[in-house]
Amino acid sequence: MENHFVKTSKLMIEADVKEGKTVLKDVYFTAPFKIMNPFYMNKDYMTVMCMSSSAGIMAGDVQEYHLKVKEGAKLEFVSQEYEKIHKMNEGFATRATEISVAKNGLLLYNPQPTIPFKNSAFKSKVNVHLEDDTSTFVMKEIISAGRVSRGELFEYQYYHNLVNVYRKDTLIYRDNTRFEPTLMDLSSMGLFEHYTHMGTLLLFSTGHTKEWLHDARNLIEETPDIDGGVTTLNETAIVIRVLGFQADKLEKLMDKILMM
């Protein structure tokens, strides 16, 4: 399979603590990626935004993300715009993401929503390594049914996303999602149902009480035109799935949950 950018496109970020403040210790990227200067927005963590000179993900693209959070560092990783996976006459695109979070570190992995275009094919794998129970990892993911405004619903070839989370080298969570419209009715019960957007919020951290879980469930139930639920895997792992008709509404809901 030919790579659109000739070689693998790479992005590597390492965050550390200097004089009590999270800073970028090391950064490396190749085309089409670029990193904005980090900003803090009056928060106790540093935000880094990834930009791309490409119009989106094309056939043959091979991408790698490497995100490392050192002890005590707090990092939010965001993308500049919606992730557009373009039409592919042949082949597919791939992205491999490797994440590590050290003791008392935090990573909020917060990319923009994904839009798989008609006839697109995409494979993604995310491996997360948490050093111990004090390592915090939060991941927000939203995928649409396609270019909804054009009536392009579930017309892509497939979208495959594998997420593995390890703590102390032990696998504690795996989500192997493969949406393939020609083989399954993605609008059916248990999948997108009658909605057009699906959001997933993963929280691997301590301190979530039964009251917090109750409030999160209530917030989902009280939000118009949105459905979803909360699952606890253990005392430090929570998975929240929400369905709706607009990506920005799902984003706002997940942000409210995180701020509770």
Side-chain angles (χ1 to χ4, degrees), residues 80-134:
Q80 181 186 22
E81 58 186 4
Y82 279 31
E83 189 85 88
K84 303 178 184 70
I85 308 176
H86 286 268
K87 177 180 178 180
M88 300 174 187
N89 294 324
E90 59 182 18
F92 55 92
T94 64
R95 175 182 293 156
T97 303
E98 293 289 332
I99 293 171
S100 65
V101 184
K103 295 178 180 180
N104 297 308
L106 176 147
L107 175 63
L108 173 54
Y109 187 69
N110 189 16
Q112 290 287 329
T114 299
I115 306 174
F117 287 17
K118 182 177 180 179
N119 292 329
S120 64
F122 183 63
K123 295 182 180 181
S124 172
K125 185 175 182 179
V126 182
N127 288 326
V128 183
H129 299 271
L130 307 177
E131 186 170 348
D132 61 18
D133 290 345
T134 68

Side-chain angles (χ1 to χ4, degrees), residues 48-75:
V48 172
M49 178 177 288
C50 175
M51 300 182 294
S52 175
S53 60
S54 172
I57 297 176
M58 309 294 183
D61 284 358
V62 179
Q63 301 180 351
E64 290 183 5
Y65 285 175
H66 298 268
L67 308 177
K68 189 173 185 178
V69 177
K70 304 286 281 186
E71 185 172 350
K74 297 181 179 180
L75 171 69

Side-chain angles (χ1 to χ4, degrees), residues 128-183:
V128 183
H129 299 271
L130 307 177
E131 186 170 348
D132 61 18
D133 290 345
T134 68
S135 307
T136 298
F137 174 69
V138 179
M139 177 176 173
K140 291 167 59 181
E141 180 188 40
I142 297 174
I143 180 172
S144 75
R147 290 184 287 185
V148 177
S149 61
R150 297 192 179 191
E152 195 177 282
L153 302 179
F154 305 118
E155 296 184 8
Y156 50 88
Q157 297 180 56
Y158 62 82
Y159 175 85
H160 187 190
N161 187 30
L162 174 62
V163 179
N164 296 313
V165 181
Y166 301 85
R167 179 175 281 124
K168 300 178 182 178
D169 297 322
T170 299
L171 181 67
I172 60 173
Y173 175 79
R174 167 170 284 177
D175 183 356
N176 189 8
T177 297
R178 184 179 177 95
F179 296 142
E180 194 163 353
T182 59
L183 298 181

